[in-house]
Amino acid sequence: MLKAALRQWRLQSVNEQNNKTGRRPFFKSGGAAKKPAKASAAKPAVTSAKSAPAPKTKAQNRPAKSAQNAPKAKDAGLYAKLDTAKTEVLEVLEESILGRPKKQNSGRAKGGAKKEPRESRRTPLRIIPLGGLLEIGKNMTMYECGNDAFIVDCGLAFPDEEMPGVDVVIPDFTYVERNKDKIRGVMITHGHEDHIGGIPYLLKTVNLPIYGTKLTLGLVEGKLKEHGLLGKAKLNVVKPRDVVKVGCMSVEFIHVNHSIADACALAIHTPAGVVVQTGDFKVDYTPIENEIIDLARFGELGSRGVLALLADSTNSERPGSSETESKVGESFDPLFKRAEKQRIIIATFASNIHRVQQIVNAAVRYQRKIAVSGRSMINVVGKAVELGYLTIPEGILIDIDMLPRYRDDQIVLITTGSQGEPMSALSRMAMGDHRKVSISSRDFIIISANPIPGNEKTVNRVVNELMRLGADVIYEKMYEVHVSGHACQDEQKLMMALTRPKFFIPVHGEYKHLKKHAETALSMGIPKDHIILPELGKIIELDGVDAKFAGSVPAGKVMVDGLGVGDVGSIVLRDRRHLSEDGLLVIVATIDRATGQVVSGPDVVSRGFVYVREAEDMMNEVRKIASDVLDSCRERNIKEWGTIKTKVKDAVSDFLFHKTKRSPMILPVIQEI
């Protein structure tokens, strides 16, 4: 009787609790939950972050369990729903009367520790780096999930000393071409060349919609116009917190600070989880545009769970935090005072509109007019003024042709060339080749930028030439005329702390930068086996539980030389380097087709090897060696041109190396009559 009464009390207690919460009594049958309607496929659309739902996982799409399948009263799950006092009484009575041991609290293991929810594998996400790894520049990443894909950024890099004659370097688009039918668009984080410079070449291959903020697309428009593609391009302006739907994924734009306005990070919502790609960023609490990085949104994403973080590694070797851009404006004041009666020339990155705005503000304070030099500087300043990102009071901006009408102390000239580029405006001024500006002791020149790794020699060359002409040149770090636009270690740690990613993937930088960033992540408590050092072209696959490399795709460098894209490869570069190092020797001879007799020559032409008039004896020996080889071929009845050229080349090459210890490129030219 006592046992029956206890069971009846338990049933009554549970039903009372269910009545309070609006649930049906557990012992009554209930209808099965309806299955959710299947979502129809939609084209890419831009919505706000609040209205755009995150993609549902398989677990979310499963129908709810029916009330018939609700757990029985004996199950531990229902004990948690009882009133605390009544639960304690029941457990004591069960232990003493029914002889059952006291049950543990639901969802908790022995010792009171909460059990971790069991992870489930989801539709895998594939992250494919196509540029921006183990290098500075040409950033490009492709995301794939199911039959949908999109691209983040498409930049370029500038050639190094191993690429003579090359204009720019862009990513390899082979994999993009193969998968063009499932690519829904290109998401651009900001308007720097290493993130947008390759877009015209990509659109010539695959015409895809482009998504970016207003200034970013304004700069893209200028590039497309130069390539005659503006009319065909599909440009879509987005704002921070907007969300673009791309098949089963969606991309949310998040405002960040950088050395260019309108920069954004991306939160990529996928069935496998949320992936955050920071793009280039820094944390600036006093930015020029008065809008700090959206730390709150990163924190919200982190609290909900971030599967992976792809973060900018450029400054991963620098401790502390980057300086605020506002500090540069403060540094301009004493320098403008120091210039006094001199003309001020400031070289900076054309895209750094914040820096240009501070130069404008200083010029207004010291009652100077502003002129602009350099094609990219003119284009960017014009576009920034048009879109409202740059404010220049009326009457301050003058044409460069009007410089002679003003005294030196009335002028500030803003120009390109802070990296010592040979064709930039500042370089041409230094070499005396600029048509409208001549440098003299009346000039006070400020280089408001740090050399990009690899550009130190070219910058020093320009500085030396400017000083030879008598100008005062300010370029040292101690004057604080430049701050970085990339996050240092403390800012990188803050990003990790806010997003709390399960997996960490450092991007944007050389191997040493990626490695150092990985060490920072390790110090933040991210497990070593959850830190992935990516490689160009290697697919990273995430399924919500594990991360692994899953094959590779074609990726690398494509060189642009003039109008030629990809027609300059390793063999051409090898020949160019050979020519630049040892020069060229051309041997020309004419032979009789019937007899094989030498009719004319051989003549020797030297380019970049030796000056012929000062090496006539050696050139005569070369002619004799070539003639002897041709005679030997005739006597042995060798008539194949390829064989004859090879024998001439080998004989002359051996002689010249023995004579000079140099190996010029030898080009035999055989004509028949």
Side-chain angles (χ1 to χ4, degrees):
M1 291 292 293
L2 188 56
K3 292 184 179 180
L6 178 58
R7 290 194 183 97
Q8 183 63 33
W9 187 31
R10 289 178 61 203
L11 296 177
Q12 184 181 353
S13 300
V14 172
N15 288 330
E16 287 175 1
Q17 186 67 19
N18 286 339
N19 287 333
K20 289 179 182 178
T21 59
R23 292 173 178 257
R24 296 186 180 187
F26 77 93
F27 48 81
K28 292 185 179 181
S29 62
K34 293 182 179 180
K35 292 184 178 180
K38 193 172 184 180
S40 58
K43 294 182 179 180
V46 179
T47 61
S48 68
K50 293 180 180 178
S51 63
K56 292 184 177 181
T57 63
K58 290 182 180 178
Q60 290 172 320
N61 284 327
R62 290 176 186 148
K65 291 184 178 180
S66 68
Q68 288 178 334
N69 296 327
K72 303 293 184 182
K74 293 180 182 179
D75 293 340
L78 285 178
Y79 283 100
K81 300 182 182 296
L82 298 176
D83 181 82
T84 304
K86 193 173 287 187
T87 301
E88 292 293 331
V89 172
L90 284 171
E91 289 177 346
V92 171
L93 288 173
E94 285 190 4
E95 186 176 10
S96 60
I97 299 172
L98 301 181
R100 295 176 183 169
K102 186 189 285 190
K103 295 190 176 183
Q104 298 291 335
N105 289 334
S106 175
R108 294 187 179 273
K110 292 181 179 180
K114 190 174 181 179
K115 289 183 180 178
E116 292 294 331
R118 187 175 180 181
E119 295 179 311
S120 59
R121 298 188 186 278
R122 305 167 187 169
T123 304
L125 170 70
R126 290 152 57 96
I127 304 175
I128 307 167
L130 296 175
L133 295 180
L134 313 183
E135 60 188 351
I136 302 294
K138 73 179 187 67
N139 297 287
M140 185 176 184
T141 308
M142 186 166 167
Y143 288 81
E144 284 184 7
C145 185
N147 292 320
D148 301 302
F150 67 91
I151 294 168
V152 174
D153 292 333
C154 182
L156 58 75
F158 294 103
D160 55 31
E161 64 276 3
E162 296 296 317
M163 302 177 187
V166 175
D167 296 328
V168 296
V169 183
I170 60 176
D172 186 344
F173 300 140
T174 302
Y175 188 72
V176 174
E177 292 181 60
R178 291 179 186 173
N179 295 273
K180 60 183 179 182
D181 292 335
K182 67 179 184 179
I183 300 176
R184 310 298 177 220
V186 183
M187 313 294 158
I188 307 299
T189 58
H190 63 281
H192 277 154
E193 287 287 334
D194 58 334
H195 291 258
I196 67 171
I199 290 178
Y201 303 98
L202 175 65
L203 295 190
K204 289 177 183 178
T205 305
V206 184
N207 191 11
L208 299 170
I210 310 293
Y211 297 85
T213 51
K214 186 167 64 172
L215 177 62
T216 300
L217 292 189
L219 299 176
V220 170
E221 282 181 357
K223 295 191 165 298
L224 296 180
K225 189 174 182 180
E226 290 178 7
H227 288 260
L229 298 171
L230 187 55
K232 301 177 183 178
K234 308 166 193 173
L235 303 180
N236 302 276
V237 177
V238 297
K239 303 184 297 296
R241 293 290 185 111
D242 278 355
V243 177
V244 180
K245 181 74 173 159
V246 280
C248 67
M249 299 176 282
S250 59
V251 181
E252 177 186 351
F253 287 75
I254 305 173
H255 176 73
V256 297
N257 300 129
H258 188 39
S259 55
I260 186 172
D262 257 8
C264 285
L266 303 177
I268 301 155
H269 302 266
T270 78
V274 177
V275 174
V276 174
Q277 181 162 343
T278 65
D280 292 352
F281 83 101
K282 66 182 289 186
V283 178
D284 192 340
Y285 296 108
T286 56
I288 303 304
E289 76 271 24
N290 295 321
E291 188 175 354
I292 69 168
I293 180 174
D294 194 350
L295 298 174
R297 184 55 183 157
F298 288 113
E300 289 174 7
L301 293 168
S303 64
R304 296 176 186 176
V306 169
L307 177 62
L309 171 65
L310 283 72
D312 174 20
S313 304
T314 308
N315 273 351
S316 59
E317 295 178 308
R318 298 186 184 181
S321 300
S322 59
E323 295 284 354
T324 175
E325 177 67 29
S326 302
K327 194 165 188 176
V328 178
E330 298 170 3
S331 300
F332 282 146
D333 273 325
L335 293 175
F336 271 60
K337 289 179 182 177
R338 177 175 162 184
E340 293 184 327
K341 302 296 182 182
Q342 293 174 293
R343 178 173 61 179
I344 298 176
I345 300 175
I346 303 179
T348 189
F349 292 109
S351 59
N352 197 337
I353 295 168
H354 299 151
R355 189 75 45 84
V356 174
Q357 182 66 67
Q358 294 188 96
I359 296 171
V360 170
N361 296 342
V364 171
R365 285 196 299 272
Y366 288 88
Q367 300 179 347
R368 289 178 180 252
K369 302 291 184 181
I370 294 172
V372 179
S373 179
R375 187 180 66 169
S376 60
M377 184 67 74
I378 293 171
N379 292 340
V380 171
V381 168
K383 182 62 70 173
V385 171
E386 175 188 338
L387 297 177
Y389 289 88
L390 187 60
T391 303
I392 302 179
E394 189 174 352
I396 294 296
L397 187 63
I398 63 172
D399 191 89
I400 195 171
D401 292 325
M402 298 177 66
L403 290 180
R405 303 183 185 181
Y406 296 88
R407 301 192 310 271
D408 291 335
D409 61 351
Q410 294 178 310
I411 293 296
V412 174
L413 178 62
I414 307 174
T415 183
T416 57
S418 62
Q419 297 302 306
E421 305 94 320
M423 298 305 296
S424 66
L426 187 64
S427 292
R428 286 186 279 118
M429 293 176 197
M431 302 304 163
D433 295 333
H434 200 284
R435 290 180 296 174
K436 299 177 181 180
V437 179
S438 298
I439 301 298
S440 69
S441 59
R442 304 189 311 273
D443 291 311
F444 187 87
I445 301 173
I446 302 170
I447 299 180
S448 184
N450 286 341
I452 294 172
N455 289 352
E456 293 86 356
K457 288 185 178 180
T458 55
V459 172
N460 289 338
R461 178 177 58 84
V462 170
V463 170
N464 288 331
E465 293 302 322
L466 292 171
M467 288 181 171
R468 282 184 203 276
L469 295 173
D472 291 332
V473 184
I474 302 297
Y475 63 95
E476 299 93 338
K477 292 182 180 179
M478 63 182 178
Y479 291 104
E480 296 180 332
V481 291
H482 176 70
V483 297
S484 177
H486 298 271
C488 297
Q489 289 178 4
D490 284 355
E491 296 154 283
Q492 293 171 349
K493 290 177 181 178
L494 177 60
M495 181 60 69
M496 294 178 205
L498 288 171
T499 56
R500 292 180 280 177
K502 181 173 184 178
F503 296 100
F504 177 71
I505 306 172
V507 294
H508 299 177
E510 299 174 4
Y511 184 79
K512 63 176 184 176
H513 301 130
L514 305 185
K515 185 70 174 175
K516 192 66 178 178
H517 206 173
E519 292 174 4
T520 301
L522 198 62
S523 71
M524 289 292 293
I526 299 178
K528 187 174 183 180
D529 59 349
H530 283 206
I531 300 172
I532 303 166
L533 285 177
E535 296 181 33
L536 207 61
K538 291 195 74 171
I539 301 169
I540 302 170
E541 188 172 281
L542 305 167
D543 61 5
V545 177
D546 294 324
K548 63 181 180 179
F549 288 111
S552 59
V553 304
K557 299 177 180 178
V558 173
M559 280 151 279
V560 179
D561 188 356
L563 297 177
V565 179
D567 55 355
V568 175
S570 57
I571 295 176
V572 174
L573 289 179
R574 182 196 64 192
D575 289 345
R576 289 182 179 181
R577 287 194 295 268
H578 193 178
L579 289 169
S580 67
E581 292 167 0
D582 296 310
L584 170 69
L585 205 66
V586 182
I587 301 171
V588 184
T590 305
I591 62 176
D592 188 290
R593 181 180 301 174
T595 64
Q597 187 75 33
V598 177
V599 177
S600 174
D603 296 323
V604 180
V605 179
S606 172
R607 291 291 181 270
F609 174 54
V610 292
Y611 186 49
V612 175
R613 292 185 180 179
E614 296 180 357
E616 289 186 2
D617 292 341
M618 186 168 63
M619 292 298 101
N620 289 333
E621 290 187 61
V622 170
R623 291 190 190 94
K624 185 176 184 309
I625 290 171
S627 180
D628 291 343
V629 171
L630 293 173
D631 289 340
S632 173
C633 290
R634 177 179 58 81
E635 292 172 0
R636 296 164 59 187
N637 200 28
I638 298 175
K639 295 184 178 180
E640 293 182 1
W641 284 18
T643 304
I644 295 173
K645 289 179 180 180
T646 300
K647 290 185 176 295
V648 171
K649 180 179 176 180
D650 291 345
V652 173
S653 179
D654 289 344
F655 166 74
L656 291 177
F657 185 78
H658 178 74
K659 190 83 173 176
T660 65
K661 298 301 179 185
R662 284 184 281 172
S663 299
M665 180 178 289
I666 298 171
L667 182 63
V669 178
I670 309 296
Q671 297 176 317
E672 281 187 340
I673 58 171

